[in-house]
């Protein structure tokens, strides 16, 4: 029994050691796999870095080639423009105002700046002139409309004046007719007054009165004439009646 128990304990111990070795081995495998992955990633990164360096080198070579070509062009341009430098040096040697080409260049740059300022000022002046022209155009258009309106109003006023003149002429013609009619009526009235005056004088003479009534009292004269005619009418009626009675008496006498 003791040996069996001992063997079981020994087996259990060995089993524990085996498990521990298995765990260590698995850990070793995991660590080894992680190292392998890190090494693989590092190799990829180094390879990508190498490719990037190669691209950078190619780009630098292209840039260097471009710079070399540009340098060649600049040298050619420098050779081409060297005649101008020689010309400027000769001019400055002959000129009393400029001692060196750099002074002439500075003067030229100053003139360029001045020209640009003048062009800018001219542009601003042109803009101001354009604005003034636009305002002037609007002003002229407004005043033209005002003048047209005033001309229309003046035409209307002239038409009204012509109509007023025609109306005045009609009124003057009517007034002339009225004056002529009044003159005729005044003449007729004067004639009537004279006739009434003459009749009145005749009546007064018949009545044995030599006093004449004033010319302006035509109503009194007419009353006098009317009264005279009424009296004359009554007198004639009395005479007619008396003559009738006499005629009747004569007839009766003759019949007897």
């Amino acid at each position: 029994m003791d040996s069996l128990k001992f063997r079981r304990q020994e087996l259990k111990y060995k089993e524990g050691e085996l498990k521990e070795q298995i765990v260590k081995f698995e850990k070793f495998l995991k660590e080894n796999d992680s190292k392998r992955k890190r090494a693989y990633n590092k190799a990829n990164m180094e390879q990508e870095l190498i490719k990037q360096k190669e691209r950078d080198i190619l780009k630098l070579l292209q840039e260097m080639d471009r710079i070399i070509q540009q340098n060649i062009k600049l040298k050619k341009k420098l050779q081409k423009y060297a005649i101008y430098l020689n010309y400027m040096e000769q001019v400055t040697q002959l000129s009393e105002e400029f001692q060196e080409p750099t002074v002439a260049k500075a003067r030229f740059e100053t003139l360029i700046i001045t020209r640009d300022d003048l062009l800018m000022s001219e542009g601003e002046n042109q803009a101001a002139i354009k604005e003034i022209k636009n305002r002037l155009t609007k002003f002229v258009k407004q005043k033209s409309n005002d003048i047209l309106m005033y001309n229309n109003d003046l035409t209307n006023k002239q038409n009204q004046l012509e109509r007023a003149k025609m109306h005045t002429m009609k009124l003057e013609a009517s007034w002339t007719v009225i004056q002529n009619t009044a003159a005729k009526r005044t003449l007729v009235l004067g004639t009537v007054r004279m006739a009434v005056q003459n009749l009145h004088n005749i009546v007064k003479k018949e009545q044995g009165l030599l006093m004449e009534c004033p010319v302006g009292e035509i109503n009194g004269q007419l009353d006098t004439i009317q009264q005279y005619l009424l009296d004359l009418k009554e007198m004639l009626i009395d005479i007619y009646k008396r003559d009738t009675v006499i005629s009747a008496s004569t007839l009766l006498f003759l019949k007897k």
Side-chain angles (χ1 to χ4, degrees), residues 138-153:
K138 291 180 180 179
F139 177 78
V140 170
K141 184 177 180 181
Q142 180 65 36
K143 293 305 175 183
S144 297
N145 293 332
D146 293 341
I147 291 172
L148 180 61
M149 182 180 66
Y150 292 146
N151 287 332
N152 293 332
D153 188 45

Side-chain angles (χ1 to χ4, degrees), residues 163-175:
R163 289 194 294 269
K165 286 182 178 180
M166 293 179 65
H167 184 65
T168 302
M169 291 175 64
K170 290 180 180 179
L171 291 177
E172 289 177 351
S174 299
W175 176 245

Side-chain angles (χ1 to χ4, degrees), residues 34 44 46 55 62 64 82 85 110 121 123 172 183 187 193 205 232 236 246:
S34 177
N44 288 334
E46 289 178 353
R55 288 194 294 269
Q62 292 175 351
M64 186 176 65
L85 178 61
T110 303
S121 299
E172 289 177 351
L187 181 60
R193 285 180 180 274
K205 287 180 180 180
L232 183 60
L236 291 173
I246 293 172

